[in-house]
Amino acid sequence: MHSNRYRNVSIVSAVAVLLLLALYMWMTYRSVTRDITERASAQLTWAMFYESYQRADLVTQGDTLSLPEARGNLSLDSSVEGMNDALSRKYHSEISLDTIAIFVDSLLSVAHINRDVTIQEVNAEGKVLRQNNDRSSSWSIKTKPVSIRRDQSKAVLIALNNPYPELAQRLSPLFLISAIILGFFAIIIIQLLRFITEQEQMTELRNDFSYAMVHDMKSPLSSIIMGAHFLHSGKVDDKPQIKEKYYSIIESEAEHLLALVNKLLTISKLENKKLILNKNDIDLEPIIDDLVEKAKAKATKPIEVNTVLEVKKVMADEQYLTEAIANLIDNALKYSKDEIEINIKTFDTDKNVLLKVRDNGIGITKEEQQVIFDKFGRAAIHEKNRKGGVSGFGLGLNYVDQVMQAHGGKVTVSSEKDKYSEFTLYIPKNV
């Protein structure tokens, strides 16, 4: 429940940051665009002012008495509007877009604005009435119209056909910084979501592990309690054989529980690098022979064990290596078919002695191979195994993995479903 809330908060936060960043970049783009168009519009007004006075000198023939009145107030926009309105009404002289283009080209060059422009005359609805060239497009950025009629029926504007180099130059640092921030934020969110997912999986595995451990400890504990109850009741005091049987059951089940607890403690020490190994030059042959004899004694099915030991001595801790090999043989018994065949082989490589334990059992799926060495790996599929008659809660292979890591080696698995499983111990040589 908490992890889902954290995930949802993370996703909402990520979306909010993306939206805010996108809004900020859009507003910055609009601000830079507005600055360019305002500067270009200012140059257009001056160009129209120069064109109007130049045209007035030609068409009025010295009749300038009406121009100050036509100019109205002294603002530049009003002067341009008044003069063009007067020249049109009184002298039927319309503004020259080509002349304006010449003035605009010079003024934009001084203002360091791209000079690829189109001068357009538009009506009150913004419809283009005429233009000095055909280079404008839907991608062009247009300036604010400058009125040339008192009734606002006509105006002139600049279409900036290629403002994007300047926009890119001014916005690229912002976009670069934003991309870096976004990248870091994305990495943080991804790592956070991955951490939350891993925690969810770990919590689920721990719960399954706890259930499996309690379930598998319940049977020996029940046997111990039941045996102690019968012995305490005195009902078997006169039956020494039955009494001895219950003592054996209690002792066997108690040793089984103690072995599980010791395995947990050993794994914990191995994980925390607190276990000190006592490495010696040990002989593998008697160890494996003893384990094979025990396996044959425990087996409830026909069993055949083949051993080929090309290398018989290794440098290792005898106690922990023996327990690791025992776990692999025990797995071969647990996951066997109607007839059990186990092949144990050792051979030499440049850096390691390899010990292989291969069975003809039910095999391991590719998916399960990814988790079988994890501490809680078997717990994830415990329910299926329990129903299939296999007990235990998956400490064995993790124990093997931890022991091999402590020796500086490793354990690997190769398997094919319903055919075989082969585990390989890489035991480093003493250099």
Side-chain angles (χ1 to χ4, degrees):
M1 183 66 70
H2 291 295
S3 58
N4 287 335
R5 184 167 68 245
Y6 294 147
R7 180 185 287 107
N8 293 336
V9 169
S10 300
I11 294 174
V12 170
S13 299
V15 172
V17 169
L18 288 174
L19 291 176
L20 288 174
L21 186 59
L23 179 62
Y24 174 69
M25 295 174 68
W26 170 250
M27 292 177 65
T28 304
Y29 168 79
R30 291 295 301 273
S31 176
V32 173
T33 302
R34 189 182 306 113
D35 176 68
I36 295 174
T37 56
E38 286 178 353
R39 289 193 295 121
S41 183
Q43 309 310 316
L44 172 64
T45 306
W46 278 109
M48 292 172 66
F49 181 80
Y50 296 149
E51 189 276 339
S52 300
Y53 259 98
Q54 185 182 75
R55 184 157 41 89
D57 285 341
L58 293 175
V59 300
T60 58
Q61 297 179 350
D63 181 12
T64 59
L65 295 177
S66 62
L67 289 179
E69 179 183 353
R71 288 180 57 185
N73 62 45
L74 297 179
S75 70
L76 189 61
D77 285 350
S78 181
S79 298
V80 170
E81 181 184 85
M83 284 191 295
N84 276 284
D85 187 74
L87 289 169
S88 177
R89 284 188 295 103
K90 187 173 181 179
Y91 298 100
H92 306 289
S93 176
E94 299 299 331
I95 195 167
S96 171
L97 300 184
D98 290 331
T99 304
I100 292 176
I102 294 172
F103 285 122
V104 164
D105 186 78
S106 299
L107 293 171
L108 292 182
S109 177
V110 174
H112 303 291
I113 300 175
N114 192 288
R115 291 146 57 192
D116 182 8
V117 299
T118 298
I119 310 300
Q120 296 180 336
E121 182 180 325
V122 297
N123 61 16
E125 289 76 31
K127 181 180 179 181
V128 177
L129 302 176
R130 58 193 179 105
Q131 56 187 13
N132 72 311
N133 60 52
D134 297 323
R135 293 200 299 271
S136 65
S137 68
S138 58
W139 294 98
S140 300
I141 298 176
K142 296 183 178 181
T143 64
K144 182 181 71 174
V146 179
S147 176
I148 56 174
R149 293 290 187 274
R150 290 292 190 191
D151 59 3
Q152 309 291 309
S153 60
K154 290 184 180 182
V156 175
L157 57 80
I158 295 178
L160 301 169
N161 299 327
N162 189 24
Y164 300 103
E166 182 176 354
L167 285 172
Q169 182 180 5
R170 295 179 60 176
L171 292 175
S172 56
L174 170 67
F175 286 169
L176 179 61
I177 294 173
S178 298
I180 293 173
I181 293 173
L182 186 60
F184 277 117
F185 185 76
I187 292 173
I188 292 171
I189 290 295
I190 291 172
Q191 292 297 327
L192 178 60
L193 292 175
R194 183 178 298 170
F195 174 76
I196 292 172
T197 301
E198 289 176 353
Q199 290 302 306
E200 281 184 336
Q201 294 173 346
M202 186 59 66
T203 300
E204 183 178 353
L205 289 175
R206 285 180 186 273
N207 291 337
D208 291 341
F209 174 80
S210 299
Y211 173 81
M213 184 172 63
V214 170
H215 178 274
D216 290 323
M217 283 185 166
K218 182 179 178 181
S219 179
L221 284 172
S222 297
S223 298
I224 291 172
I225 293 172
M226 182 182 67
H229 175 73
F230 271 99
L231 291 172
H232 184 70
S233 68
K235 293 179 180 180
V236 293
D237 287 347
D238 58 345
K239 301 174 181 178
Q241 290 183 343
I242 298 177
K243 191 175 181 179
E244 181 62 28
K245 177 182 177 182
Y246 278 110
Y247 274 125
S248 298
I249 290 173
I250 291 174
E251 183 179 6
S252 175
E253 297 293 357
E255 288 178 351
H256 177 60
L257 288 175
L258 181 61
L260 291 177
V261 172
N262 285 335
K263 190 171 290 184
L264 278 170
L265 292 174
T266 301
I267 289 175
S268 178
K269 289 180 180 179
L270 286 167
E271 288 178 334
N272 292 285
K273 311 300 181 184
K274 293 182 179 179
L275 187 69
I276 299 175
L277 298 179
N278 183 23
K279 290 185 179 182
N280 290 297
D281 198 19
I282 62 174
D283 193 348
L284 288 174
E285 191 168 22
I287 293 173
I288 293 176
D289 286 345
D290 181 59
L291 292 175
V292 169
E293 290 303 315
K294 289 180 180 179
K296 289 180 177 179
K298 288 191 296 184
T300 58
K301 307 172 185 177
I303 180 171
E304 178 184 350
V305 182
N306 303 307
T307 59
V308 179
L309 305 182
E310 296 180 11
V311 180
K312 297 184 179 181
K313 289 185 179 291
V314 294
M315 180 64 65
D317 185 297
E318 183 174 355
Q319 176 187 349
Y320 293 112
L321 181 61
T322 300
E323 184 67 18
I325 299 171
N327 275 296
L328 297 182
I329 295 175
D330 188 53
N331 267 8
L333 296 178
K334 282 184 179 180
Y335 300 101
S336 62
K337 296 178 182 178
D338 295 335
E339 295 184 359
I340 306 170
E341 181 180 342
I342 301 175
N343 294 291
I344 302 173
K345 179 180 179 181
T346 63
F347 60 92
D348 199 7
T349 65
D350 291 339
K351 297 181 180 179
N352 302 283
V353 173
L354 270 56
L355 189 153
K356 293 180 177 287
V357 178
R358 182 186 178 104
D359 62 60
N360 64 335
I362 62 176
I364 307 169
T365 65
K366 294 293 184 183
E367 181 182 2
E368 290 172 355
Q369 288 178 37
Q370 303 301 315
V371 299
I372 57 173
F373 295 114
D374 295 344
K375 187 173 183 179
F376 307 111
R378 266 281 308 285
I381 53 174
H382 172 77
E383 185 68 18
K384 179 183 67 176
N385 288 340
R386 184 169 65 86
K387 291 178 180 178
V390 179
S391 63
F393 42 90
L395 290 177
L397 290 178
N398 179 254
Y399 179 90
V400 175
D401 184 50
Q402 293 287 347
V403 166
M404 295 314 300
Q405 288 188 45
H407 279 82
K410 63 180 180 178
V411 56
T412 61
V413 61
S414 173
S415 182
E416 190 172 341
K417 190 66 175 173
D418 297 323
K419 289 188 178 181
Y420 75 93
S421 292
E422 182 178 77
F423 291 88
T424 303
L425 303 183
Y426 289 72
I427 307 170
K429 294 180 180 178
N430 184 28
V431 179

